[in-house]
Amino acid sequence: MSTRKPSYANPKPCNHLSAYKLKYGSSGYKSLQKSLKSAPNGRTSVRIHETKIPRCSFCNGFEGRLYICLICSSVSCSNHAVLHTQLEIGHDLAVDVQRAELFCCACSDQVYDPDFDKSVMAKHMLDLPCSTNSADSIGERLCERKRLGGSGVVLSEFKKPEKSGFVRDHRAKSCYPLGLRGLNNLGNTCFMNSVLQALLHAPPLRNYFLSDRHSRRTCRKRTANRLCLPCELHGVYSAVYSGDWTPYSPAQLLYSWWQHSENLASYEQQDAHEFFISVLDGIHEKETKARNHTKDSGDCQCIAHRVFSGLLRSDVTCMTCGFTSTTYDPCLDISLNLDTSRCSWSDASNKPAKANGSSCSSTLLGCLDLFTKPEKLGSDQKLYCQNCQELRDSSKQMSIRKLPMVLCLHIKRFEHSLVRKMMRKIDSYLHFPFSLDMTPYLSSSIVRNRFGNRIFAFEGDESEMSTEFEIFAVVTHSGTLDSGHYVTYLRIQDQWYKCDNAWINEVDEGIVRASQCYMMFYVHKTLYYKANIDLRHLPVSTQKEAFQRMAGCC
Amino acid sequence: MSVPNEGNDMSSSSDAQLSSHVFGDLLDSIIVDVASECHRIAKLGLDRNFEEEEEELRLSAQARVRVADPSNSGEANSKYVVDIFGQNHPSVASEVFECMNCGRSIVAGRFAPHLEKCMGKGRKARLKVTRSSTAAQTRNSRGNSASTYSTYSNSNSTSRLSNGASGVAGEEYSNGALEEP
């Protein structure tokens, strides 16, 4: 609960609540438990009598809100609740019958008590069909790993590589941060260049390669296989951070990558996201082979997974009985559908108005909301409920169980055009923030919200990972699905740079805001600020450019 | 709750009243429900910072207006004279290096198409073989080879074909229209 405001766990009680707690503690809550009734949709209500509806003891009314006194169980309506406190001194606390919320009749306001929420949740857990979740055991497993020393890359110190020292770059152009270097377009390779620029500035990845954690020297010892994507990447990092500012040609990387991803090896425009996943896969493959491990990606310790891997949680709930089945899947990034809810619809066709008019205002937060929204699966998609033992209408909800160090958000800017029976690109503008707080999308928040935002401990709460991210790279696309252009904007020390193949230019943040984002790279806030300080002290690699002007591939 | 049926008008109006009453009740219940939910979210500090979000949207809208304004310098359209290091770059990268597959000297901007052929990958490399043999067959079976070739070279979509047919390694980049990033 480290990132939550203190008011969450300890809301300030009113005097009456404090007085009640002093006198009665949680005993009143516990005796109320037997009257609590949980619904499959996560809501709780008070069911006093099995067959009769509750009525106000003063006016016999049953309409509007009804409150049951915690001390004497007498029921009052909202009009007469205050009367009850006047007649019976000290009977200030009641419970809203419909929503099981604490109500202070004297203050005429809803009040909150963690102990009350706890007892509500306890009853709820009892009532709900018990799921033999792998969830809980996985939750425990993840927590255990943390106790054993954590899995993060140690960033505060990177091992001093044997050869290079901490040399300041004394060249005239050193007013610009290190690591800015254009990448030559080798022929329709802007998709590769754009992703490379983002990777080159992902702090944990950058630190890993610049401190020679993987280099040709150490790599050759482990394997005779000449093809090694991490080695090539290391070559690119060394070249780009060498202090040289003439554009670099990542030819060696292209060659190796084509050998690795045969199906993508062709001279044509390709998708940057596909390249991104492919490169991470190449790193993963290489590193797991090297260590003779066959871990599944959830536990993998390769640098690609340590930096980019997160965990997604998927809950499928039976709408009849509330039984929820939970699964976890690791992910290297999150692909989001565009949230078109805020678009105005043009009259003639059934499509949202084009983005050039300002009628379409999707936001990244809106896309994330859409991603974590409960989705009612259609009646043609009934799932088998273990509890009901039949096919039932279900709803599915995604959330993020574990955030990665570097969060890559990919926008699915394509859709099937029903008219032309092919895919087409969506050019709608998408607003994205420079600072992103992922708290509302965590599993703990989503699941808590499902149960009415009760105050209770959730297995993900003790995570020490912060949820605040800062953007450091945006890959933008302009053009159509078949033919377009990728440009990356980098944010270094709060200055934005446009990386358009060989061209590096400073730009105003407004240009970035107005651009058509395709992939956004966010990093933990602390890592971002730390990286900005580190930049001035990075070792200038003494290695020559990876691609030597001579035959062979080293 | 039953109402005596005293005639159409009366019963329909009390039915209408009744249903309107029930509807009102339901609506009230929903409103209070939402209010209660929002109250909890607000009191427990779970709400989003809407001011911040609106400020962000405002900044974006402003930025988009500025960028769309044609009178602005072509910053967004990358009409740069020099980069931050004072360099200028040609539209096709001119650095020359040796191909690690075959050893030939290749211009950087043409490296990918060269490598594709060099490694024997990609559609064009494979197609080239097919087309040449097909073209040879066509040439042999028909007399008017000239018209066949001229048909090919005129249409845009088959610019690749014409490249393949000519079969010369060095000059295949006439589809420069697409190649430009």
Side-chain angles (χ1 to χ4, degrees), chain A residues 269-451:
Chain A
Q269 303 190 22
Q270 292 181 38
D271 179 74
H273 179 247
E274 225 174 4
F275 173 73
F276 171 68
I277 297 295
S278 172
V279 161
L280 291 188
D281 185 60
I283 298 175
H284 165 75
E285 236 180 51
K286 200 63 207 175
E287 301 230 341
T288 42
K289 232 186 271 178
R291 293 171 201 207
N292 294 322
H293 285 158
T294 39
K295 287 200 159 131
D296 69 71
S297 40
D299 281 341
C300 180
Q301 290 294 301
C302 78
I303 188 63
H305 280 104
R306 275 189 291 161
V307 175
F308 289 100
S309 179
L311 203 60
L312 289 181
R313 172 176 166 151
S314 165
D315 290 322
V316 178
T317 308
C318 168
M319 287 170 75
T320 310
C321 70
F323 177 82
T324 303
S325 130
T326 303
T327 49
Y328 290 99
D329 287 302
C331 63
L332 284 171
D333 63 357
I334 303 182
S335 292
L336 300 170
N337 285 307
L338 273 170
D339 162 37
T340 48
S341 61
R342 287 222 232 166
C343 293
S344 64
W345 297 72
S346 56
D347 298 311
S349 59
N350 202 17
K351 297 175 295 184
K354 276 296 176 189
N356 296 331
S358 50
S359 46
C360 217
S361 60
S362 317
T363 63
L364 181 64
L365 294 183
C367 294
L368 284 167
D369 283 335
L370 190 63
F371 180 71
T372 54
K373 195 171 117 159
E375 180 195 340
K376 287 190 178 51
L377 303 175
S379 37
D380 54 333
Q381 291 171 288
K382 287 196 207 216
L383 293 178
Y384 182 76
C385 170
Q386 288 176 36
N387 189 51
C388 302
Q389 307 247 318
E390 20 180 307
L391 291 175
R392 294 287 199 199
D393 281 326
S394 319
S395 88
K396 177 173 151 179
Q397 189 170 33
M398 303 291 300
S399 56
I400 304 172
R401 175 65 177 87
K402 178 177 159 287
L403 286 164
M405 255 192 270
V406 176
L407 178 64
C408 171
L409 297 175
H410 165 237
I411 307 298
K412 293 199 263 187
R413 280 186 173 279
F414 33 83
E415 61 177 5
H416 279 290
S417 163
L418 296 164
V419 173
R420 299 212 191 116
K421 296 209 194 310
M422 60 184 194
M423 298 279 265
R424 68 186 178 100
K425 186 180 169 213
I426 311 171
D427 280 309
S428 311
Y429 174 73
L430 181 74
H431 162 83
F432 57 95
F434 290 175
S435 304
L436 179 63
D437 186 353
M438 291 295 285
T439 310
Y441 312 107
L442 291 180
S443 297
S444 49
S445 306
I446 296 290
V447 174
R448 206 174 267 119
N449 185 290
R450 205 186 291 152
F451 292 109

Side-chain angles (χ1 to χ4, degrees), chain B residues 113-130:
Chain B
H114 160 80
L115 191 65
E116 189 190 34
K117 287 197 170 50
C118 197
M119 286 169 77
K121 294 200 184 294
R123 243 189 56 195
K124 283 204 307 204
R126 288 180 255 123
L127 262 182
K128 175 180 156 184
V129 175
T130 326

Side-chain angles (χ1 to χ4, degrees), chain B residues 48-66:
Chain B
R48 298 227 292 241
N49 190 339
F50 288 113
E51 282 120 13
E52 213 176 84
E53 284 176 29
E54 283 189 11
E55 172 66 12
E56 281 271 334
L57 286 176
R58 197 184 58 80
L59 285 172
S60 283
Q62 257 181 7
R64 290 172 74 196
V65 163
R66 269 205 318 270

Side-chain angles (χ1 to χ4, degrees), chain A residues 102-279:
Chain A
L102 267 183
F103 187 80
C104 175
C105 304
C107 302
S108 263
D109 198 12
Q110 209 165 275
V111 291
Y112 305 98
D113 182 3
D115 292 328
F116 179 72
D117 281 350
K118 227 188 287 182
S119 63
V120 168
M121 285 313 300
K123 181 69 186 348
H124 205 118
M125 294 307 190
L126 232 75
D127 273 358
L128 268 191
C130 177
S131 32
T132 47
N133 261 342
S134 51
D136 297 303
S137 51
I138 285 184
E140 281 165 28
R141 196 152 55 89
L142 281 175
C143 290
E144 253 185 57
R145 270 183 359 126
K146 289 200 188 86
R147 279 204 298 271
L148 288 172
S151 58
V153 176
V154 177
L155 299 160
S156 50
E157 85 287 318
F158 33 79
K159 270 190 286 191
K160 226 177 175 179
E162 286 101 353
K163 274 196 185 159
S164 53
F166 284 74
V167 177
R168 290 282 190 118
D169 179 23
H170 293 292
R171 277 181 255 221
K173 305 282 195 273
S174 65
C175 58
Y176 290 110
L178 270 181
L180 277 178
R181 190 170 179 187
L183 296 172
N184 280 327
N185 186 319
L186 306 175
N188 280 348
T189 60
C190 64
F191 69 90
M192 177 175 81
N193 289 345
S194 56
V195 171
L196 279 180
Q197 290 288 10
L199 294 178
L200 282 164
H201 290 91
L205 203 60
R206 184 197 72 196
N207 295 350
Y208 177 84
F209 281 106
L210 287 182
S211 47
D212 285 357
R213 297 281 272 273
H214 185 113
S215 67
R216 268 191 200 85
R217 250 179 319 113
T218 50
C219 186
R220 274 228 198 84
K221 287 185 201 159
R222 293 183 199 158
T223 167
N225 191 348
R226 288 196 323 173
L227 165 60
C228 176
L229 226 50
C231 278
E232 317 305 353
L233 261 183
H234 175 253
V236 177
Y237 274 93
S238 304
V240 168
Y241 281 87
S242 63
D244 223 336
W245 64 80
T246 56
Y248 172 70
S249 297
Q252 182 68 46
L253 178 67
L254 182 70
Y255 181 56
S256 295
W257 179 59
W258 275 2
Q259 288 177 310
H260 167 264
S261 302
E262 298 232 355
N263 59 320
L264 295 173
S266 66
Y267 165 56
E268 57 183 343
Q269 303 190 22
Q270 292 181 38
D271 179 74
H273 179 247
E274 225 174 4
F275 173 73
F276 171 68
I277 297 295
S278 172
V279 161

